[in-house]
Amino acid sequence: MRLSSSISVAALGSSAYLPAVYGWGAAGHEIVATIAQMYLHPNVLPTLCDILEMPTSKCHLASVASWADQHRNQMRWSAALHYIGALDDHPSDTCAFPGPRRWAGSQGINVLDGIKNTTSLLQAWVEEDATDAVANEALKFLIHFVGDMHQPLHLTGRDRGGNSVKVLFGRRHTNLHSLWDSYLIAQAVREVPRNYSHPLPYHKVEKALRGTIYDSYIRRILWEGILNPWADDLDAWLTCEEPEASAPSVEASGLLAMWQSAYRLTSKLVDVFRKDGVEIQPDGPTVCPYYWAQPIHILNCDIIWPKALDEPPYDVRFESDSADPHRHDDEDEEAELEMLNVPLLNLDTPEYAGVIAKQMIIEKLLAQGGIRLAGILNYIFASGELPDGVKGTFLADFRLEA
């Protein structure tokens, strides 16, 4: 198995394996990367451009944000690195993350470990322990994986992350995964007020934009979210859970010690027989994708997966022949569904899409992805160079200046 022709699994270390899915559509990934670029430390972007072999004047992280999906046919081994699923997870009735049976799949091959592993590879490059080719592909994977983590259906394995769940969106046949990948974002882009076609008074914002159809949408996310109502939340978005203090160990002796040793051995044996799934690597104190992903995953039960999808006549499933459980082929599925004339639940309604839009759920996920990606990249490449007073050496220029 390999990361590509140039990055081997061995280079990732014992903790470096990754699984596959297709997270946000291209627009979603590019929006996350564009927001991240706005919050990079001034010294970081030139380094990233060098790694990506782009001239700084024309360098945009968004241009490589979908690289991992675009080359998925050449990197089939990487499929499982795009998502994670718990064996006990079954939204909307059960949201387990991971639950007693832990994670499905193979050890280390999931999107959360993928973020940790690519971060480690880039840190190794900074320390001159990894090649430029390794850093190039690790950076492209990291940009993509952070986007995937903020698509909630990449955090559940139920029904191939929603790919097997057929729905309507207006008059279009689609599936739940594609709805969240692309359709909701496309609808939001179409409905952005015209005033956001004008530049915002922030140089770093406008410099990061590329003249795309979703530039106005990004301005709206900034103005109605990051710069105003969510401004005081940004530090919390980058916070990692404090590690629990370990209890002082007390050494026993004699008969008590013998019974304690026997109990520990028995517990381990029982765990071996009970444990169907695998564990993930522990979070670090600064980069903690598992901690960040927990509230994102809960959205699957809170709103993403309507209970009606598990009840007749809408409990329709479409199984794929693809080796990638999260792969979706909309055109083939739509043709078959039309032929079968299967009744589908319409989610383009005030109770579903309307609530998502009113609460800015999609916009907040994209914003969190961008801020966290910027934080990780600043942590890797700007540590020790940030000005005095910048909290935790995580984000420089955290408050954009006009």
Side-chain angles (χ1 to χ4, degrees):
M1 183 185 292
R2 57 183 186 174
L3 262 179
S4 79
S5 58
S6 57
I7 302 185
S8 66
V9 170
L12 289 170
S14 61
S15 62
Y17 302 83
L18 317 124
V21 135
Y22 309 120
W24 299 114
H29 279 289
E30 292 174 13
I31 290 166
V32 168
T34 300
I35 292 172
Q37 186 158 334
M38 297 171 184
Y39 282 89
L40 290 177
H41 182 275
N43 295 340
V44 169
L45 183 60
T47 302
L48 301 182
C49 298
D50 285 345
I51 292 173
L52 295 173
E53 300 179 319
M54 298 182 189
T56 304
S57 60
K58 298 180 180 178
C59 181
H60 292 275
L61 302 186
S63 65
V64 298
S66 295
W67 173 87
D69 280 348
Q70 292 165 353
H71 294 83
R72 60 184 179 266
N73 289 331
Q74 293 80 38
M75 302 185 298
R76 294 182 183 276
W77 54 265
S78 71
L81 289 169
H82 296 242
Y83 62 90
I84 190 168
L87 290 171
D88 297 298
D89 193 38
H90 195 272
S92 64
D93 54 275
T94 303
C95 261
F97 201 70
R101 292 190 298 152
R102 306 174 194 180
W103 306 103
S106 303
Q107 192 76 38
I109 305 184
N110 59 77
V111 69
L112 304 183
D113 283 340
I115 291 171
K116 299 166 195 170
N117 294 331
T118 49
T119 297
S120 296
L121 282 174
L122 291 169
Q123 289 175 315
W125 180 85
V126 170
E127 297 167 1
E128 300 184 351
D129 287 333
T131 66
D132 292 348
V134 167
N136 177 283
E137 295 192 0
L139 177 56
K140 290 184 285 192
F141 273 118
L142 176 61
I143 292 168
H144 189 84
F145 292 156
V146 173
D148 279 346
M149 187 190 80
H150 288 82
Q151 209 279 47
L153 287 165
H154 278 249
L155 303 178
T156 181
R158 186 194 169 180
D159 289 314
R160 301 166 55 230
N163 274 294
S164 299
V165 181
K166 304 309 131 188
V167 297
L168 282 176
F169 194 66
R171 297 182 178 180
R172 292 296 306 272
H173 292 78
T174 186
N175 63 67
L176 194 61
H177 193 105
S178 293
L179 177 66
W180 277 79
D181 267 2
S182 303
Y183 284 81
L184 290 171
I185 292 178
Q187 184 180 72
V189 169
R190 289 194 300 269
E191 295 177 355
V192 173
R194 288 187 178 182
N195 57 299
Y196 287 111
S197 62
H198 302 292
L200 292 179
Y202 297 93
H203 174 69
K204 290 193 72 173
V205 170
E206 297 304 320
K207 187 176 180 181
L209 298 177
R210 300 185 297 154
T212 65
I213 192 172
Y214 50 77
D215 281 4
S216 296
Y217 183 50
I218 295 177
R219 292 188 184 107
R220 181 184 172 231
I221 293 173
L222 266 290
W223 189 254
E224 296 184 22
I226 295 174
L227 294 170
N228 289 297
W230 305 332
D232 294 333
D233 301 333
L234 304 189
D235 285 335
W237 292 356
L238 293 170
T239 299
C240 290
E241 188 174 30
E242 290 290 333
E244 294 183 7
S246 58
S249 70
V250 177
E251 291 296 329
S253 60
L255 187 61
L256 177 60
M258 183 182 72
W259 280 110
Q260 286 179 340
S261 297
Y263 175 77
R264 284 194 292 267
L265 177 61
T266 303
S267 297
K268 289 181 180 178
L269 289 172
V270 170
D271 194 46
V272 167
F273 288 107
R274 280 186 175 177
K275 185 172 68 175
D276 299 352
V278 299
E279 295 180 338
I280 63 170
Q281 302 169 43
D283 279 345
T286 309
V287 178
C288 51
Y290 171 68
Y291 180 70
W292 292 336
Q294 291 178 59
I296 301 173
H297 171 261
I298 291 172
L299 291 171
N300 287 305
C301 280
D302 287 350
I303 190 168
I304 292 174
W305 214 293
K307 291 185 181 298
L309 289 174
D310 288 326
E311 302 169 355
Y314 302 122
D315 53 341
V316 178
R317 298 294 181 268
F318 183 94
E319 298 304 325
S320 172
D321 295 330
S322 172
D324 178 359
H326 277 248
R327 181 160 187 158
H328 44 82
D329 302 298
D330 282 348
E331 292 183 4
D332 292 342
E333 295 177 15
E334 184 168 343
E336 181 160 334
L337 287 167
E338 288 180 343
M339 180 179 65
L340 295 174
N341 194 28
V342 176
L344 300 177
L345 180 65
N346 191 351
L347 295 180
D348 189 10
T349 63
E351 295 77 18
Y352 190 83
V355 170
I356 292 165
K358 184 176 181 180
Q359 296 182 7
M360 293 186 69
I361 293 174
I362 295 282
E363 291 75 19
K364 193 168 189 177
L365 290 168
L366 295 170
Q368 288 176 328
I371 292 295
R372 285 170 177 153
L373 176 57
I376 294 170
L377 294 173
N378 285 339
Y379 166 70
I380 296 170
F381 296 104
S383 184
E385 299 180 6
L386 301 180
D388 293 339
V390 176
K391 182 178 179 181
T393 71
F394 220 139
L395 280 182
D397 197 13
F398 197 61
R399 309 296 180 213
L400 293 175
E401 298 180 358

